[in-house]
Amino acid sequence: MSDFILQNEPTIRLGFFFGSLLLVGLWEFLSPTRKLRAPKLWRWTQNLGLTFFNSLLLRFVFPILAVGMALIAQENGWGLLNMVSLPLWVSVVIAIIVQDLVIYGQHVAFHYVPALWRLHKVHHADIDYDVTTGARFHPVEIALSMGIKLGVILLLGPPVLSVILFEIILSSMAMFNHANASLPKPVDGILRLFVVTPDMHRVHHSILIPELNRNFGFNLAIWDRLFRTYQATPQKGQIGMTIGLSRYQKEERQSFFWMILLPFRKEKA
């Protein structure tokens, strides 16, 4: 099974990306939580255009990506998990948990380090919140994130399977928890004990700074509770809250080039 996943990794990841986009997009269409402020077709075109540009850029900038680095580490016995003898499933679980913790820590850093925030605010400047927001990041942030992933893989030595699974989970969960949709409250209450739900993560996209710096997790919900960055609900409620950053509330047509140039403007969010 693992050999099949490895051999078909690009196809499988692309399938999960479009499958998640389609399913979450359909969920939003059938049961939207909030009325969108910007034209949906425009936002989807620009946000997804940035996403596909980032994917192409990574292929040119990095000679190897996360899965390739995991293969090299495995072949050379590099990294902690390659130095110990554990059942494959145990190594996979450990690797996924550690990678998720790193993503949480990285996310916190991108909020509190000014130079990194200038990049990350492209994600938060979206005045709406839907499935495409979960894939909207500045190319330089994506490149830095990949560099961090490669470093973690070298040090940890995760199984190749765990890296593939984590990349699929991260992409799919980012689209799920950025959905302009909500789960029934009893279901949401139980589910968010384990994973990040749309109502949980939407708090993080509030215009209010104290809420902006809460609920950093993308996958596992434990990190926000463990590091005391968890907030259950937004102050003004899921419908009443304002999404985005205060400076960009009037920028409804945020184009591809607007997003690319945003971090380099002489202004403060």
Side-chain angles (χ1 to χ4, degrees), residues 42-81:
W42 173 265
R43 285 187 60 259
W44 276 51
T45 302
Q46 304 307 307
N47 286 355
L48 293 178
L50 183 62
T51 302
F52 293 125
F53 175 78
N54 290 341
S55 297
L56 291 174
L57 185 67
L58 285 180
R59 297 290 176 180
F60 283 104
V61 171
F62 291 92
I64 55 170
L65 298 179
V67 175
M69 182 62 78
L71 275 170
I72 292 173
Q74 179 178 286
E75 290 170 357
N76 291 276
W78 296 339
L80 180 62
L81 292 178

Side-chain angles (χ1 to χ4, degrees), residues 187-206:
V187 176
D188 180 90
I190 294 172
L191 199 58
R192 70 164 62 190
L193 294 173
F194 307 98
V195 298
V196 179
T197 65
D199 280 3
M200 177 179 168
H201 191 70
R202 194 178 293 110
V203 177
H204 181 71
H205 283 257
S206 169

Side-chain angles (χ1 to χ4, degrees), residues 13-24 48 52 171 175:
R13 285 185 58 187
L14 199 61
F16 270 96
F17 176 85
F18 283 111
S20 300
L21 181 65
L22 179 63
L23 289 175
V24 176
L48 293 178
F52 293 125
S171 173
M175 286 189 278

Side-chain angles (χ1 to χ4, degrees), residues 101 104 200 220-230:
L101 174 58
Y104 169 87
M200 177 179 168
L220 299 177
I222 188 174
W223 309 126
D224 283 301
R225 289 183 172 84
L226 185 62
F227 296 105
R228 299 183 178 182
T229 55
Y230 175 70

Side-chain angles (χ1 to χ4, degrees), residues 32-212:
T33 295
R34 296 168 53 91
K35 182 178 180 181
L36 299 179
R37 296 165 57 193
K40 188 168 185 175
L41 180 60
W42 173 265
R43 285 187 60 259
W44 276 51
T45 302
Q46 304 307 307
N47 286 355
L48 293 178
L50 183 62
T51 302
F52 293 125
F53 175 78
N54 290 341
S55 297
L56 291 174
L57 185 67
L58 285 180
R59 297 290 176 180
F60 283 104
V61 171
F62 291 92
I64 55 170
L65 298 179
V67 175
M69 182 62 78
L71 275 170
I72 292 173
Q74 179 178 286
E75 290 170 357
N76 291 276
W78 296 339
L80 180 62
L81 292 178
N82 285 319
M83 298 177 183
V84 295
S85 180
L86 294 172
L88 177 61
W89 73 268
V90 174
S91 294
V92 167
V93 171
I94 291 173
I96 289 175
I97 291 173
V98 170
Q99 288 175 95
D100 197 56
L101 174 58
V102 170
I103 290 295
Y104 169 87
Q106 173 189 308
H107 194 178
V108 173
F110 270 86
H111 273 251
Y112 285 100
V113 178
L116 299 179
W117 169 248
R118 293 185 71 87
L119 300 169
H120 187 60
K121 70 180 181 178
V122 170
H123 178 65
H124 282 273
D126 198 340
I127 61 171
D128 285 316
Y129 183 94
D130 72 3
V131 61
T132 65
T133 309
R136 167 181 159 145
F137 294 94
H138 194 272
V140 179
E141 177 176 358
I142 291 295
L144 289 174
S145 180
M146 180 55 67
I148 292 169
K149 286 180 183 177
L150 296 180
V152 170
I153 289 169
L154 273 177
L155 293 173
L156 182 63
V160 176
L161 177 62
S162 71
V163 176
I164 297 173
L165 291 176
F166 182 72
E167 291 294 303
I168 291 172
I169 293 168
L170 182 63
S171 173
S172 300
M173 283 297 294
M175 286 189 278
F176 165 72
N177 56 45
H178 283 88
N180 180 31
S182 298
L183 297 163
K185 284 188 177 181
V187 176
D188 180 90
I190 294 172
L191 199 58
R192 70 164 62 190
L193 294 173
F194 307 98
V195 298
V196 179
T197 65
D199 280 3
M200 177 179 168
H201 191 70
R202 194 178 293 110
V203 177
H204 181 71
H205 283 257
S206 169
I207 197 173
L208 302 177
I209 300 301
E211 295 181 346
L212 175 72

